[in-house]
Amino acid sequence: QRAARDLARAGVWTGAQARATEALAHDPLQPAATMAMADVDLAGNHAAVAEKRIRALLESTRPTPHERAIASQRLGDTLDQLARFGEAFTAYEAGAQTLQSSFLPNFAESGRETSSVLAGRLIDYFGRVDADTWRPDKSAAADGGDPIFVVGFPRSGTTLAAQVLARHPNILSLDESDPLGEATRHFFGGNDALDRLGKLDAQAVAHWREVYWQRVRALGGADGQRVVDKMPMNMLALPLIAKLFPGARTLFLHRDPRDVVLSCFRRQFVINPTTIDLLSLDGAARLYDLTMTLMAVYQQKLDLNLRVQRHEDMVNDFEGETRAICAFIGASWDPALLTFSDRAGLVATPSSSQLAKGLSKDGVGHWRNYRAQLAPVLPLLKPWVDAFGYPVD
């Protein structure tokens, strides 16, 4: 059943079907195999079959709470494909509420700072700092050797951008391995640590750069390769990136805020300080508002080498936008970039099976199908809809 699940995530439908069929022959309600077979059904546009399969599982006592949450989310996708959007949203809510019951109490007891709390603290801190303190020393920039950072709110197109660049023969994509993590934990734990980051001298910068590159080498990085470091919420860590890598090029992906928030709520992620906020529509919208407010502050206070990249533009003019991205990062354009879907199944993100199908406009404007359900958060998102130039309707 694990093989069936992994093959389904990778979009290898024939293999997933074979493995799931084998598992279900021994255990007709095995949850992982049932979900894999439902994914196969959905990929083949057999949503009615998938609905029947998933409801049978949900009506049984077999699933654990986590498996029940996954099944509810999959039922939502099934109903979405059947254009029964109100029922689909109810299924998504059921899955999210199951995860809330499982994770929120323990997360609260742990005392860990959620990304929404961190973003609020950073807005306050950087709203008050002297911009000169955070202006990077460009003389310390590596000559074309700094990483290429890809950031953006989850479900904004960061995986697509990273996988496109990963097809370049001279680029290594790290696929959310987070070599910046140790430095981020060191400097973002409190305002005193941020003060130290602002005053970082050349010796300390060299030390933390080497910590980063040691991690990259451990992940398979080699001399002569450009590194694409894609961690969407490293957008919160841009002051650290500016200090350690003043010559770095950063791609900031954005997408219609209404599609982003809806998509985050519909998908299920590994629970962490960011994704805990995505277990409710209101939490996802609040986190989006806070992170975009913080990005606006960063763009005022930090001398960032930033390209703002609209996901919809990549969908509409893929080759033109990828050529522009290559020009921005100082890489030659290569036709291999057009074959990004060949590698998509190797990436463990909620986008992997979608990218395996190739470029699609299916998600553009999908929020309109859930206009009534999104109504409570639309006022919070409207300023960003306007700021990024999306139509009101």
Side-chain angles (χ1 to χ4, degrees):
Q1 60 268 21
R2 290 181 180 177
R5 177 198 62 196
D6 293 342
L7 288 166
R9 286 176 177 174
V12 183
W13 304 119
T14 301
Q17 183 176 27
R19 292 301 181 91
T21 299
E22 181 181 335
L24 293 173
H26 295 284
D27 183 355
L29 285 175
Q30 205 291 319
T34 299
M35 290 300 95
M37 191 63 87
D39 287 342
V40 171
D41 294 333
L42 289 174
N45 293 316
H46 302 302
V49 177
E51 179 187 5
K52 183 177 179 180
R53 193 185 305 278
I54 297 168
R55 288 195 185 278
L57 178 64
L58 287 170
E59 290 167 3
S60 75
T61 58
R62 284 298 304 279
T64 65
H66 188 251
E67 290 169 339
R68 188 169 292 279
I70 294 172
S72 295
Q73 182 264 325
R74 225 47 127 258
L75 178 61
D77 288 345
T78 300
L79 296 166
D80 180 271
Q81 194 174 104
L82 293 167
R84 290 154 57 187
F85 301 113
E87 293 176 70
F89 192 84
T90 299
Y92 293 131
E93 280 189 315
Q97 288 167 3
T98 300
L99 290 176
Q100 286 177 355
S101 299
S102 299
F103 288 98
L104 281 179
N106 292 336
F107 199 93
E109 289 177 10
S110 73
R112 298 174 70 189
E113 189 175 46
T114 66
S115 290
S116 58
V117 173
L118 172 60
R121 177 163 63 83
L122 293 173
I123 290 168
D124 179 67
Y125 181 92
F126 282 94
R128 295 182 284 105
V129 299
D130 181 356
D132 289 339
T133 304
W134 291 91
R135 187 165 290 116
D137 180 6
K138 296 291 187 179
S139 66
D143 185 16
D146 282 334
I148 302 156
F149 291 94
V150 178
V151 302
F153 202 81
R155 306 296 294 167
S156 291
T158 56
T159 299
L160 171 62
Q163 290 316 298
V164 168
L165 292 175
R167 297 300 294 173
H168 196 288
N170 298 324
I171 287 178
L172 170 71
S173 179
L174 298 180
D175 294 339
E176 302 197 15
S177 300
D178 198 18
L180 199 65
E182 184 176 346
T184 302
R185 290 186 291 274
H186 184 81
F187 287 111
F188 283 77
N191 288 356
D192 290 346
L194 288 169
D195 290 341
R196 293 195 297 274
L197 177 60
K199 298 173 184 175
L200 218 57
D201 60 25
Q203 183 177 359
V205 167
H207 164 75
W208 285 106
R209 283 173 64 98
E210 180 56 23
V211 169
Y212 180 92
W213 288 118
Q214 284 178 358
R215 177 62 177 156
V216 170
R217 288 191 289 271
L219 292 166
D223 292 340
Q225 287 181 306
R226 295 291 300 279
V227 167
V228 170
D229 186 338
K230 190 268 284 189
M231 282 292 291
M233 291 301 282
N234 267 350
M235 59 196 299
L236 275 62
L238 285 174
L240 174 63
I241 291 171
K243 283 289 182 181
L244 301 188
F245 302 104
R249 309 296 176 95
T250 299
L251 280 176
F252 168 43
L253 273 293
H254 73 76
R255 178 184 170 201
D256 189 316
R258 297 157 295 192
D259 281 330
V260 168
V261 168
L262 174 64
S263 185
C264 284
F265 181 65
R266 291 175 62 197
R267 299 280 72 83
Q268 290 181 358
F269 303 84
V270 175
I271 301 300
N272 60 39
T274 294
T275 58
I276 197 76
D277 285 312
L278 306 181
L279 293 179
S280 71
L281 195 63
D282 179 67
R286 284 188 292 105
L287 179 59
Y288 185 92
D289 177 58
L290 286 165
T291 54
M292 293 305 141
T293 299
L294 180 61
M295 275 297 299
V297 172
Y298 282 167
Q299 287 175 279
Q300 291 176 352
K301 295 297 178 79
L302 306 176
D303 186 13
L304 298 170
N305 196 347
L306 190 75
R307 174 180 169 87
V308 180
Q309 178 67 53
R310 283 172 63 116
H311 171 68
E312 292 86 353
D313 290 345
M314 286 195 71
V315 172
N316 290 326
D317 181 15
F318 183 70
E319 183 173 334
E321 291 300 307
T322 56
R323 286 182 179 276
I325 289 172
C326 284
F328 170 69
I329 66 175
S332 60
W333 188 83
D334 192 290
L337 272 62
L338 301 176
T339 65
F340 72 92
S341 61
D342 293 349
R343 190 177 181 273
L346 302 176
V347 187
T349 77
S351 304
S352 57
S353 61
Q354 292 172 307
L355 292 182
K357 302 173 187 176
L359 209 60
S360 172
K361 297 182 180 182
D362 290 349
V364 176
H366 197 64
W367 71 271
R368 292 182 177 86
N369 297 312
Y370 295 88
R371 188 191 310 271
Q373 291 79 14
L374 285 168
V377 302
L378 290 180
L380 187 60
L381 300 178
K382 186 178 184 302
W384 303 112
V385 171
D386 295 341
F388 292 139
Y390 291 98
V392 174
D393 191 341

